[in-house]
Amino acid sequence: MRTGIATVCLSGTLEEKLRAAAKAGFDGVEIFEADLVTSSLSPEAVRSLADELGLGLDLYQPFRDFDSVPDELYRDNLRRADAKFKLMDRLGIETILVCSNVATASIDDDALRAEQLHGLAELAADHGVKVAYEALAWGTFVNDFEHAWRVVADADHANLGTCLDTFHILSRGWDTEPIERIPGEKIFFVQVADAPKLSMDVLNWSRHYRVFPGEGQFDLPKFLGHVARTGYNGPVSLEVFNDTFRQADVERTAVDAMRSLIWLEERTAKHLAAGTAESGDPAATPTPAQLAAASRAYPMPLTTLPQVAPPSGINFAEVKADPAAAGASELERLLAQLGFESRGEHRTKPVSLWTLGDARIILNRQQARGVAPAISALGFDVENSVTAVARALQLKAVAVPRTSQANEEVLQAVEAPDGTEVFLCQDTLWAEEFGAGLPASATEPPAARIDHINLAQPWQHYDEGVLFYSSVLALSPQPSQEVSSPAGLVRSQVMQTELVGGERAVRLALNLAPWVQADSVRGTVADTFQEHIAIAVPDLIATARACRARKLPFLEIPENYYEDLDARFGLEPQFLATLRELDLLYDRDEQGDFLHFYTATVGSVFFEMIQRIDGYDGFGAPNAPVRHAVQHAAQKSK
Amino acid sequence: MRTGIATVCLSGTLEEKLRAAAKAGFDGVEIFEADLVTSSLSPEAVRSLADELGLGLDLYQPFRDFDSVPDELYRDNLRRADAKFKLMDRLGIETILVCSNVATASIDDDALRAEQLHGLAELAADHGVKVAYEALAWGTFVNDFEHAWRVVADADHANLGTCLDTFHILSRGWDTEPIERIPGEKIFFVQVADAPKLSMDVLNWSRHYRVFPGEGQFDLPKFLGHVARTGYNGPVSLEVFNDTFRQADVERTAVDAMRSLIWLEERTAKHLAAGTAESGDPAATPTPAQLAAASRAYPMPLTTLPQVAPPSGINFAEVKADPAAAGASELERLLAQLGFESRGEHRTKPVSLWTLGDARIILNRQQARGVAPAISALGFDVENSVTAVARALQLKAVAVPRTSQANEEVLQAVEAPDGTEVFLCQDTLWAEEFGAGLPASATEPPAARIDHINLAQPWQHYDEGVLFYSSVLALSPQPSQEVSSPAGLVRSQVMQTELVGGERAVRLALNLAPWVQADSVRGTVADTFQEHIAIAVPDLIATARACRARKLPFLEIPENYYEDLDARFGLEPQFLATLRELDLLYDRDEQGDFLHFYTATVGSVFFEMIQRIDGYDGFGAPNAPVRHAVQHAAQKSK
């Protein structure tokens, strides 16, 4: 598949955009007109820069408000087009995008439209230009891809074809099946964008909220499957208007964009191999041979990646801390008070291992100068770490450089968008390198395991994080939620594995917190963002009592919370008294009950101990505002 | 009018919210349940804190999902309500808000609803509580205030009334006239919020985009006029869910909120005095006597302020700079190259005056340590500066402390939300204090005047800025626009005076730029935000030639821009060549033409020279992306 990206997706100058697109591995770009007009590079300079970068200039866009107009305006529009065709000749661009008229259309007549587009195609032919006509979702008269195609078919000119844009088609909910009735050679261009399903006017939705494939809710593999079946073999190019991407670092956004097309290629091949109507049916997993066949079955070849299953557990979590930083000395004490046991020091590095049942936490003091305790790495259990890393690298993840001594386990890791190191682990042999190793006998079910991790995401990389964890680790994104805190709303996106026998192997919550978005929240000092590690135990009340006996600093829950809890659930008095006594929080879903408590925060890390009863599947979200409020007050009193 | 604010409008803990509301001058607050539940203050402590602060606790809210349910759930809902009524007794709150059911409503029957609400009112009466029933805009069965009122009327209980919320009424476009058919004593509470008119689902619109009165597009004076006519005399209380306010400094948000209610009172009195159907008709300006009468005509008295006319011009602009800072030495040179003449030093302060026609720019070197050139103050021409300042102070503006020597003009100033000092000037006598004073004879029309100022706004105070300039200075907000830049979209809001004889006395553009929102835009160094002063001259081409002769550093406009301009407008070749030669930009609207050019930036300030031809009324917005791109490239190359 030929990959492309419109320059409007990226921040910076035209030159910065072109360099970033080339570096991320795109085959070509669409030149967005405003990017050229505002550039100090001449068209010839743009052309030679693209040549030098090995980047095709695949489309010039957009040419607006051409069709459905009175004759005088039509002639002026031809004059405008002639200027742009000459410019395209200097740029060396063959195809121009013409979108359906929204501003000046006054005559709703398909015959006139076809005639005017035929006239445009005649002029284009004189310049060796091809015109790709596209229906905007808010076009005055033409807002449906089938209508645009009918007009193109009626105009019947070799230099006139159509452009399909997923946003304009899927935002309106048009049936995509008729795409297959368009001959592939009359599809001159394909633009793709994903989007969250929002209920708002389509123009604002389009201009601000588009995201890269895999970061939204459109069924893009199904769309691209239809396109492949037409015989189309041109560029599949991203056109994503997004307020955040326009502000974020251009090189990182380009990599995120490239990852999204790689993801889309693979998902499309899987969809074609499965032969289902909608894509993404997890039951319809094709064999490697089926997948390979599907990827080669159409003129548009679809590259696929090494396949991995979702992780089967969280192997470990690592917290980095400078022993001299605030909170570092409290960290080890906190783990001991939680019931963790020290398994000793690593034999060559300033790193120690702590375990509680199957929950493994590594304290890392290397390269930690000045770092207050912070979550720095996560290990995930995978079937085959070599395959998993190969897949991650093909998805443009950055490998973490590791220095391993002879006879040490080589752990493979890549960097997540928020900087967390993600280790892909096949076993726990690495633990042998610590003084005491892992305990000889583990109980079944284990005395404890890491249930979930909660990571704060920088605002620039929130959507990128979702795509990273879904494409690299095969975690499934859940609908995002919002939780209030004294410093603003926290947007939370859970990524997790499927429910198997009432359990989930891995749960990860990505939080976009206001104090990560903005750095001066309170005019004076911002709240530090906090992240946490949640550990599931079989009997939370017993654990809480034991922790209390070990003088663990619990997060203190206000009395008002318990009165409200009682009003909401009408709890049994003895049970309520126990919750109150132990600073426990409570929630209930359709399946079962949830008990949990939090520790005080050290550095930016705190711990949560939880018990899921009868298959409770949430995270105690109704209790999150209480936690935020108490943590906020604790931070202010420091 | 009794003023109130819901704690959910503000950031911070409950205690911080209460203190900020009291400090801003509110009479009372609504306790938002989640704020109490997450607080470590007991209900008794909240009550005594409010007492100490002189703040009424006017409402407990919300109680959700009560009505339209089967009997078993109804009994459980009464149990929930009983717990909350007991809590209210401890808080000393008399009224509870019950909103129409959205989650558990299953029986659509007004008789049943009235019966259930009657039952609730009976229970409430036992506790001395009054129930205010409100229709949520997205209520399952009840989403219209008239429907809610019918149910309340049918239930017919002394402890049951209705609550009117402007968002729920105006977002749905309900006719507000029927409000007058509700007896004032059956309206138990009134909540007000403004909002921009967005086309999106009403729930998300409500939860994230509400703003304070005067910051959105709802006709709130008309609404409150209806309420006044019912005889209502209870609290008018803000309930504003806004993502930004939830993050911003609590004390500043409370002041902004209080200002919005003062604005609303005055506008409502004006509306009542004018006797028009819609409010805001500028032709219907009441006399002071009419206004005073209208403000006392109903049981709800409406406080009004000293009246001022919109400013008749920009008296001066002040740029602050440390002579030792980067750009300071270029600043004076730039002014000279633009044709400004130095009118000498102030006789007691390190401040100098520069003029070009009627355009006056003050360079201020006092208290400027380390400040690179930045716009620090604006003077506006007002009829009476004492009245204007008195009004500003009543609108909670903060006075700028000034030290004046004997025999110096006392200039009155207040601080705008972005920190700009706003001077309210009756004349230019202050200029006599500078060595040369103003030139003896001015030409008519003047050789130049300040046409507009463009100020960057911090994200936390953008809406506050709109209300400040409209309430304090009587400028009118225009629809906001978006402009693309290499570092993201820039949201721009023009505030201006009315068109009189094809001219506007004052134009101010408030820009919310991405590099003001976020501080690390490019991963490394953020673009500095830039602000500018635009000066209108009678013959821009002559001015540009003269500036060129004086070696002014023009902002260099790319050749691509001129080619696009020609394609768009088909300009006369000689004219286009002149534009090109002089780095001029061009735009056209329905009235006329616009010519302008920009200087290079010094510190965070640059200048624009403009000519409006035949009543052109815009700001050359289509050219803004070119300016941003060139400035961005210039900044990167530094």
Side-chain angles (χ1 to χ4, degrees):
Chain A
M1 183 177 101
R2 183 173 174 85
T3 55
I5 184 167
T7 54
V8 73
C9 305
L10 301 170
S11 69
T13 62
L14 182 56
E15 179 168 348
E16 290 167 332
K17 293 167 191 238
L18 294 178
R19 290 192 185 278
K23 193 170 169 193
F26 282 94
D27 297 316
V29 296
E30 306 172 32
I31 297 289
F32 185 68
E33 183 166 83
D35 285 320
L36 182 74
V37 168
T38 63
S39 173
S40 59
L41 294 180
S42 69
E44 290 78 8
V46 171
R47 180 180 196 158
S48 70
L49 176 62
D51 269 356
E52 180 197 310
L53 295 170
L55 211 51
L57 297 179
D58 291 342
L59 189 76
Y60 187 82
Q61 64 112 338
F63 191 81
R64 297 185 199 276
D65 303 322
F66 178 81
D67 61 86
S68 319
V69 295
D71 196 51
E72 190 186 347
L73 189 50
Y74 168 62
R75 274 179 281 118
D76 193 55
N77 287 345
L78 285 177
R79 182 194 60 74
R80 279 200 294 136
D82 190 60
K84 296 303 174 186
F85 293 161
K86 286 174 181 147
L87 175 66
M88 289 170 66
D89 187 43
R90 294 167 63 198
L91 285 161
I93 301 183
E94 195 183 48
T95 310
I96 190 169
L97 175 77
V98 174
C99 44
S100 60
N101 197 333
V102 293
T104 60
S106 60
I107 307 171
D108 188 12
D109 176 348
D110 275 348
L112 176 79
R113 261 188 288 277
E115 189 189 312
Q116 293 185 336
L117 285 169
H118 186 97
L120 182 66
E122 278 289 308
L123 179 65
D126 295 343
H127 294 272
V129 163
K130 292 164 68 183
V131 171
Y133 181 64
E134 169 190 83
L136 293 181
W138 54 91
T140 307
F141 301 126
V142 179
N143 51 43
D144 166 355
F145 76 96
E146 291 191 79
H147 188 183
W149 162 237
R150 278 199 311 275
V151 174
V152 165
D154 290 351
D156 192 24
H157 193 292
N159 288 59
L160 182 68
T162 191
C163 171
L164 300 176
D165 178 310
T166 60
F167 186 88
H168 295 299
I169 296 169
L170 300 174
S171 67
R172 297 291 302 256
W174 304 131
D175 178 16
T176 50
E177 209 281 326
I179 288 172
E180 298 192 23
R181 295 200 284 274
I182 307 174
E185 70 276 10
K186 292 304 277 184
I187 302 175
F188 281 5
F189 209 79
V190 171
Q191 292 176 317
V192 290
D194 204 343
K197 288 199 174 158
L198 300 176
S199 153
M200 66 191 305
D201 69 289
V202 76
L203 177 60
N204 271 308
W205 185 17
S206 172
R207 292 268 169 90
H208 301 286
Y209 298 97
R210 293 184 183 205
V211 284
F212 294 124
E215 297 171 356
Q217 293 169 276
F218 287 159
D219 192 344
L220 299 178
K222 178 185 176 190
F223 166 88
L224 204 55
H226 293 308
V227 170
R229 288 196 199 95
T230 67
Y232 177 77
N233 188 23
V236 175
S237 183
L238 297 160
E239 189 192 31
V240 171
F241 305 94
N242 179 289
D243 289 358
T244 300
F245 300 160
R246 279 174 186 266
Q247 293 180 45
D249 179 76
V250 60
E251 292 195 2
R252 290 201 47 172
T253 307
V255 168
D256 180 27
M258 190 65 213
R259 180 177 299 139
S260 79
L261 283 185
I262 299 170
W263 173 91
L264 178 58
E265 273 193 270
E266 179 181 64
R267 287 290 174 109
T268 305
K270 279 188 172 179
H271 169 62
L272 289 168
T276 51
E278 309 296 313
S279 82
D281 178 359
T285 304
T287 64
Q290 287 171 326
L291 191 58
S295 71
R296 291 187 308 263
Y298 301 95
M300 180 168 73
L302 297 163
T303 308
T304 58
L305 307 176
Q307 298 299 295
V308 297
S312 58
I314 295 179
N315 192 286
F316 68 87
E318 180 190 272
V319 177
K320 186 169 274 197
D322 181 344
S329 62
E330 293 141 87
L331 181 61
E332 299 207 355
R333 198 185 322 141
L334 206 61
L335 286 173
Q337 288 164 330
L338 281 167
F340 276 79
E341 280 179 57
S342 169
R343 313 305 309 169
E345 287 283 307
H346 189 272
R347 56 183 195 230
T348 63
K349 300 175 207 165
V351 172
S352 62
L353 171 64
W354 292 71
T355 67
L356 173 64
D358 285 356
R360 292 174 281 276
I361 292 179
I362 290 172
L363 299 191
N364 186 348
R365 304 186 303 278
Q366 64 182 347
Q367 295 167 348
R369 187 184 292 255
V371 175
I375 296 175
S376 50
L378 299 179
F380 292 93
D381 293 315
V382 299
E383 262 171 22
N384 182 315
S385 59
V386 173
T387 311
V389 168
R391 177 180 173 84
L393 297 178
Q394 286 192 50
L395 280 160
K396 303 277 172 186
V398 177
V400 174
R402 304 304 289 185
T403 51
S404 291
Q405 311 253 341
N407 302 323
E408 283 180 14
E409 279 296 303
V410 179
L411 288 179
Q412 307 269 13
V414 294
E415 205 176 279
D418 66 354
T420 304
E421 295 179 358
V422 169
F423 285 79
L424 302 157
C425 311
Q426 231 172 280
D427 50 49
T428 54
L429 289 176
W430 56 268
E432 306 296 323
E433 290 158 21
F434 289 80
L438 292 181
S441 68
T443 56
E444 189 59 47
R449 58 183 284 271
I450 295 179
D451 180 87
H452 65 274
I453 310 271
N454 194 311
L455 297 176
Q457 301 293 296
W459 63 271
Q460 305 97 320
H461 306 301
Y462 184 81
D463 293 306
E464 184 185 351
V466 171
L467 178 60
F468 175 87
Y469 286 108
S470 56
S471 63
V472 170
L473 276 185
L475 298 180
S476 304
Q478 307 305 303
S480 78
Q481 279 200 310
E482 272 162 356
V483 165
S484 69
S485 87
L489 291 178
V490 178
R491 186 172 151 208
S492 179
Q493 165 87 59
V494 170
M495 311 286 304
Q496 60 191 15
T497 55
E498 298 302 315
L499 210 53
V500 178
E503 304 254 323
R504 291 187 196 272
V506 171
R507 292 174 158 103
L508 194 62
L510 306 180
N511 279 0
L512 178 62
W515 49 96
V516 181
Q517 283 183 59
D519 49 318
S520 174
V521 174
R522 312 284 308 151
T524 48
V525 173
D527 285 1
T528 315
F529 64 89
Q530 302 184 6
E531 306 186 308
H532 79 270
I533 300 169
I535 294 151
V537 295
D539 181 347
L540 190 79
I541 291 174
T543 297
R545 289 201 195 283
C547 289
R548 187 108 323 166
R550 288 188 293 260
K551 303 200 186 314
L552 175 81
F554 281 65
L555 191 77
E556 288 175 36
I557 304 305
E559 169 58 22
N560 296 343
Y561 168 78
Y562 295 102
E563 294 186 13
D564 181 62
L565 203 60
D566 193 31
R568 280 156 59 210
F569 293 112
L571 297 173
E572 197 265 307
Q574 188 52 48
F575 179 62
L576 187 66
T578 303
L579 297 181
R580 213 175 230 135
E581 174 205 342
L582 294 170
D583 282 308
L584 304 187
L585 298 109
Y586 172 83
D587 191 30
R588 185 190 288 169
D589 69 6
E590 299 81 52
Q591 283 80 44
D593 294 359
F594 188 55
L595 286 172
H596 57 143
F597 69 85
Y598 300 105
T599 69
T601 302
V602 291
S604 63
V605 186
F606 64 97
F607 296 87
E608 180 183 9
M609 302 299 275
I610 72 162
Q611 182 184 357
R612 298 180 181 278
I613 301 166
D614 298 332
Y616 174 93
D617 197 28
F619 295 82
N623 300 328
V626 181
R627 164 169 77 77
H628 285 303
V630 178
Q631 287 177 333
H632 171 86
Q635 199 151 43
K636 295 216 61 157
S637 70
K638 263 186 189 167
Chain B
M1 184 176 102
R2 182 173 176 85
T3 57
I5 185 168
T7 54
V8 74
C9 304
L10 301 170
S11 69
T13 60
L14 183 57
E15 179 168 348
E16 290 167 331
K17 293 169 191 235
L18 295 179
R19 290 191 183 280
K23 193 170 170 193
F26 282 95
D27 297 317
V29 297
E30 307 172 32
I31 297 289
F32 185 67
E33 182 166 84
D35 284 320
L36 182 74
V37 168
T38 62
S39 173
S40 59
L41 294 180
S42 69
E44 290 77 9
V46 171
R47 180 180 196 158
S48 70
L49 177 61
D51 268 355
E52 178 197 313
L53 295 170
L55 210 53
L57 298 178
D58 291 343
L59 189 76
Y60 187 83
Q61 64 113 334
F63 191 82
R64 295 185 201 277
D65 302 322
F66 177 81
D67 61 87
S68 319
V69 296
D71 196 52
E72 191 185 349
L73 190 48
Y74 168 62
R75 274 179 280 119
D76 194 55
N77 287 346
L78 284 178
R79 182 194 60 75
R80 279 199 296 135
D82 190 60
K84 297 301 173 186
F85 293 161
K86 285 176 183 147
L87 176 65
M88 289 169 65
D89 187 42
R90 295 167 62 197
L91 286 161
I93 302 183
E94 195 183 48
T95 310
I96 190 169
L97 175 77
V98 173
C99 44
S100 61
N101 197 332
V102 294
T104 60
S106 61
I107 307 171
D108 187 11
D109 177 345
D110 275 348
L112 177 78
R113 262 189 287 278
E115 188 189 312
Q116 293 184 336
L117 286 169
H118 187 96
L120 183 66
E122 278 287 311
L123 180 64
D126 295 343
H127 294 272
V129 163
K130 292 164 69 185
V131 170
Y133 181 64
E134 169 190 84
L136 293 181
W138 53 90
T140 307
F141 300 125
V142 179
N143 52 42
D144 167 355
F145 77 96
E146 291 191 80
H147 189 182
W149 161 238
R150 277 200 310 276
V151 174
V152 165
D154 290 349
D156 191 23
H157 193 291
N159 288 58
L160 182 68
T162 190
C163 171
L164 300 176
D165 178 310
T166 60
F167 186 88
H168 294 299
I169 295 169
L170 300 174
S171 67
R172 295 291 302 258
W174 304 131
D175 178 15
T176 50
E177 210 279 327
I179 288 172
E180 299 192 21
R181 295 200 284 274
I182 307 174
E185 71 276 9
K186 292 303 276 183
I187 302 175
F188 282 5
F189 209 79
V190 171
Q191 293 177 317
V192 290
D194 204 343
K197 287 199 176 158
L198 300 177
S199 154
M200 66 192 304
D201 69 288
V202 75
L203 178 60
N204 271 306
W205 186 16
S206 172
R207 292 269 168 90
H208 301 286
Y209 298 97
R210 294 185 181 202
V211 284
F212 294 124
E215 297 172 356
Q217 293 169 274
F218 287 158
D219 192 345
L220 299 179
K222 179 184 174 189
F223 166 87
L224 204 56
H226 293 309
V227 170
R229 289 195 199 96
T230 67
Y232 177 76
N233 186 24
V236 175
S237 182
L238 298 160
E239 190 193 31
V240 171
F241 305 95
N242 179 289
D243 289 359
T244 300
F245 300 159
R246 280 174 185 266
Q247 293 180 46
D249 180 76
V250 59
E251 291 194 2
R252 291 200 46 170
T253 306
V255 168
D256 181 27
M258 190 65 215
R259 180 178 298 139
S260 79
L261 282 186
I262 299 170
W263 173 91
L264 178 58
E265 271 192 272
E266 179 181 62
R267 287 291 173 108
T268 305
K270 281 187 171 180
H271 170 61
L272 288 168
T276 52
E278 309 295 314
S279 82
D281 179 358
T285 305
T287 64
Q290 287 171 325
L291 192 58
S295 71
R296 290 189 308 262
Y298 302 94
M300 181 168 72
L302 297 163
T303 307
T304 59
L305 307 176
Q307 298 299 295
V308 297
S312 58
I314 295 178
N315 192 287
F316 68 87
E318 180 190 270
V319 178
K320 186 169 274 199
D322 180 344
S329 62
E330 292 141 87
L331 181 60
E332 299 207 354
R333 199 186 318 142
L334 205 62
L335 286 173
Q337 288 164 330
L338 281 167
F340 276 80
E341 280 179 58
S342 169
R343 313 304 309 169
E345 287 284 308
H346 189 272
R347 53 181 197 235
T348 64
K349 301 173 206 165
V351 172
S352 62
L353 171 63
W354 292 71
T355 67
L356 173 63
D358 286 354
R360 293 174 281 276
I361 291 177
I362 291 171
L363 299 191
N364 186 349
R365 304 187 303 279
Q366 64 182 346
Q367 295 167 347
R369 186 184 291 259
V371 176
I375 296 176
S376 49
L378 300 178
F380 292 93
D381 293 316
V382 298
E383 264 172 18
N384 182 317
S385 58
V386 173
T387 311
V389 168
R391 177 180 173 84
L393 297 179
Q394 286 192 50
L395 279 160
K396 304 277 169 188
V398 177
V400 175
R402 305 302 289 184
T403 50
S404 290
Q405 310 253 340
N407 301 323
E408 284 181 13
E409 280 296 304
V410 179
L411 289 178
Q412 307 271 14
V414 293
E415 204 176 281
D418 66 354
T420 304
E421 295 178 358
V422 170
F423 285 79
L424 301 157
C425 312
Q426 232 172 280
D427 51 48
T428 54
L429 289 177
W430 55 268
E432 306 297 324
E433 290 157 22
F434 289 82
L438 293 180
S441 68
T443 57
E444 188 61 45
R449 57 183 284 269
I450 296 178
D451 179 87
H452 65 273
I453 310 271
N454 193 311
L455 296 176
Q457 300 293 297
W459 63 270
Q460 304 98 321
H461 306 301
Y462 184 80
D463 293 305
E464 184 185 350
V466 171
L467 178 61
F468 175 86
Y469 287 107
S470 55
S471 63
V472 170
L473 275 183
L475 298 179
S476 305
Q478 307 304 303
S480 78
Q481 278 200 310
E482 271 162 358
V483 166
S484 70
S485 88
L489 292 178
V490 178
R491 186 174 151 204
S492 180
Q493 165 88 57
V494 170
M495 310 286 305
Q496 59 192 15
T497 55
E498 298 302 315
L499 210 53
V500 178
E503 304 254 323
R504 289 186 198 273
V506 171
R507 291 174 158 103
L508 194 62
L510 306 181
N511 279 359
L512 178 63
W515 50 95
V516 181
Q517 282 183 60
D519 38 325
S520 174
V521 175
R522 314 281 308 148
T524 48
V525 173
D527 286 1
T528 316
F529 64 90
Q530 301 183 7
E531 306 185 309
H532 79 273
I533 300 168
I535 294 150
V537 295
D539 180 348
L540 190 79
I541 291 173
T543 297
R545 290 202 196 283
C547 289
R548 186 122 306 177
R550 288 188 292 260
K551 302 199 186 315
L552 176 80
F554 280 65
L555 191 77
E556 289 176 35
I557 304 304
E559 169 57 23
N560 296 342
Y561 167 78
Y562 295 102
E563 295 187 12
D564 181 62
L565 203 60
D566 194 31
R568 281 157 58 209
F569 294 111
L571 296 173
E572 197 266 308
Q574 188 51 48
F575 178 63
L576 187 66
T578 303
L579 297 181
R580 213 176 230 134
E581 176 205 342
L582 294 169
D583 283 308
L584 305 187
L585 298 108
Y586 171 82
D587 191 30
R588 186 189 287 170
D589 69 6
E590 299 81 51
Q591 282 80 45
D593 293 0
F594 187 56
L595 286 171
H596 56 144
F597 70 83
Y598 299 105
T599 70
T601 301
V602 291
S604 63
V605 186
F606 64 97
F607 296 86
E608 181 183 9
M609 302 298 276
I610 72 161
Q611 183 184 359
R612 298 180 180 278
I613 301 166
D614 298 334
Y616 174 93
D617 197 29
F619 295 82
N623 299 329
V626 181
R627 163 170 77 78
H628 285 302
V630 178
Q631 287 177 333
H632 171 86
Q635 197 152 43
K636 295 216 61 158
S637 71
K638 265 187 189 167

